[in-house]
Amino acid sequence: MKKLITRTITGIVLVLVMLTAILVSEYSFVALFLLILAAGINEFISLFAQSEVKPNKFFSYLVSACLFLLSFLIAKGTIEIKYLLALLPLLIVIMAAELYRKNDKPVENIAVTLFSILYLAVPLSLINFLVYSHVFNDNHYTPKLLIALFALIWIHDSGAYLVGVSIGKNRLFERISPKKSWEGAIGGTLIAVGASYFIPAFIPEIKLIHWIFISILVVVSATFGDLTESMFKRYFGIKDSGNLLPGHGGVLDRFDSLFFAVPVFVVYLELFVV
């Protein structure tokens, strides 16, 4: 019971802090997601603390922050997309830096460093194209799509948990996450799809039929994001990726669904809505 209370309080505080930062201004939004990105990289690199593989944390931070900030400026319309080319020399430097680190696993170090950028920085950078979306036909900061995405993920997670606890019997992916059930996954999906019916009232620029497809794609991708992070934790033999969020674990534990859901959401909007 104590753990449930702690988890609930942390969840409420986290939601309030995130909504405040997202709604106040574009600058508080940037600060929030840079902090999430930095914390996520720290947790991911820390997974290898007891391993012979030593990712380059400095360059993971540097390239990830540059990618996020460049994407923000591109999405806002301040600079052109060609400026992303500035990251290519940094990617080369990541490989060259291994010449001076005197480690027995240079290839693995490079691979994990690059993967940390792909896994964390790329999806979080794509969030910029949700808050500056072509859906609204202007260049103003509009976080409605991002809030809708979070709402779908949170509603699905809550629905899947409640249904799973109530009637869940058949394991969804027992080898990776023994507690998840098919009943919970299906129930959470149906609840999220039902919730999508109300979103056009707040975002009329996107038709209901699109929101139905989006909700299905989001919850499926979010589930795979959750399972992938569980796979990492099982591989490293840990329960949580960190302890930053009492009752929830770390940033990776809390935002694992987001890393897979954001690219799917952005791609759908660009292909079928804009």
Side-chain angles (χ1 to χ4, degrees):
M1 179 61 72
K2 183 179 179 181
K3 183 177 180 179
L4 178 61
I5 294 174
T6 301
R7 181 180 177 86
T8 302
I9 293 174
T10 301
I12 293 172
V13 172
L14 180 63
V15 169
L16 290 175
V17 169
M18 290 191 64
L19 284 177
T20 300
I22 291 170
L23 292 172
V24 166
S25 75
E26 57 190 320
Y27 303 108
S28 55
F29 156 80
V30 168
L32 170 68
F33 281 95
L34 280 176
L35 286 174
I36 292 173
L37 180 56
I41 290 172
N42 181 64
E43 289 180 4
F44 185 77
I45 299 297
S46 296
L47 295 176
F48 296 85
Q50 306 304 317
S51 168
E52 293 181 8
V53 179
K54 302 298 178 186
N56 195 318
K57 183 183 288 189
F58 171 77
F59 279 108
S60 183
Y61 281 133
L62 178 62
V63 176
S64 296
C66 289
L67 176 59
F68 183 87
L69 291 172
L70 283 173
S71 298
F72 173 77
L73 294 174
I74 291 168
K76 188 178 180 180
T78 304
I79 62 175
E80 297 178 25
I81 194 170
K82 66 181 181 181
Y83 287 97
L84 278 179
L85 293 173
L87 294 177
L88 290 179
L90 289 177
L91 297 178
I92 294 172
V93 170
I94 288 174
M95 293 182 276
E98 286 302 316
L99 294 170
Y100 302 93
R101 296 186 72 202
K102 298 179 180 180
N103 185 276
D104 293 333
K105 303 285 185 179
V107 174
E108 291 86 345
N109 294 343
I110 293 169
V112 174
T113 302
L114 293 175
F115 180 73
S116 70
I117 298 167
L118 175 65
Y119 178 49
L120 300 171
V122 170
L124 290 184
S125 296
L126 287 174
I127 286 177
N128 292 305
F129 296 93
L130 292 179
V131 297
Y132 286 103
S133 176
H134 296 149
V135 167
F136 302 110
N137 295 316
D138 59 32
N139 235 16
H140 295 95
Y141 175 72
T142 310
K144 291 191 288 185
L145 288 175
L146 178 58
I147 293 173
L149 175 61
F150 274 122
L152 287 173
I153 292 174
W154 290 335
I155 289 170
H156 168 258
D157 286 348
S158 300
Y161 174 77
L162 293 174
V163 174
V165 168
S166 302
I167 60 173
K169 293 181 180 179
N170 299 289
R171 299 302 97 185
L172 176 65
F173 218 119
E174 190 167 8
R175 179 173 61 86
I176 299 298
S177 186
K179 294 183 179 180
K180 287 183 172 57
S181 66
W182 276 104
E183 291 85 355
I186 294 171
T189 300
L190 292 175
I191 292 171
V193 171
S196 70
Y197 176 83
F198 300 97
I199 300 179
F202 303 95
I203 310 177
E205 292 86 353
I206 302 177
K207 296 178 180 179
L208 174 59
I209 186 63
H210 286 303
W211 280 116
I212 292 173
F213 282 117
I214 287 169
S215 63
I216 294 172
L217 291 172
V218 163
V219 299
V220 170
S221 57
T223 299
F224 276 109
D226 190 355
L227 289 171
T228 299
E229 202 251 346
S230 295
M231 177 179 67
F232 293 157
K233 291 189 292 185
R234 183 168 288 270
Y235 176 81
F236 287 102
I238 59 174
K239 184 176 184 293
D240 297 317
S241 64
N243 54 13
L244 183 64
L245 304 171
H248 291 265
V251 167
L252 297 183
D253 296 313
R254 184 65 275 173
F255 295 99
D256 50 7
S257 300
L258 188 69
F259 303 141
F260 278 40
V262 168
V264 171
F265 190 19
V266 171
V267 169
Y268 184 93
L269 290 176
E270 292 297 322
L271 290 180
F272 303 108
V273 178
V274 175

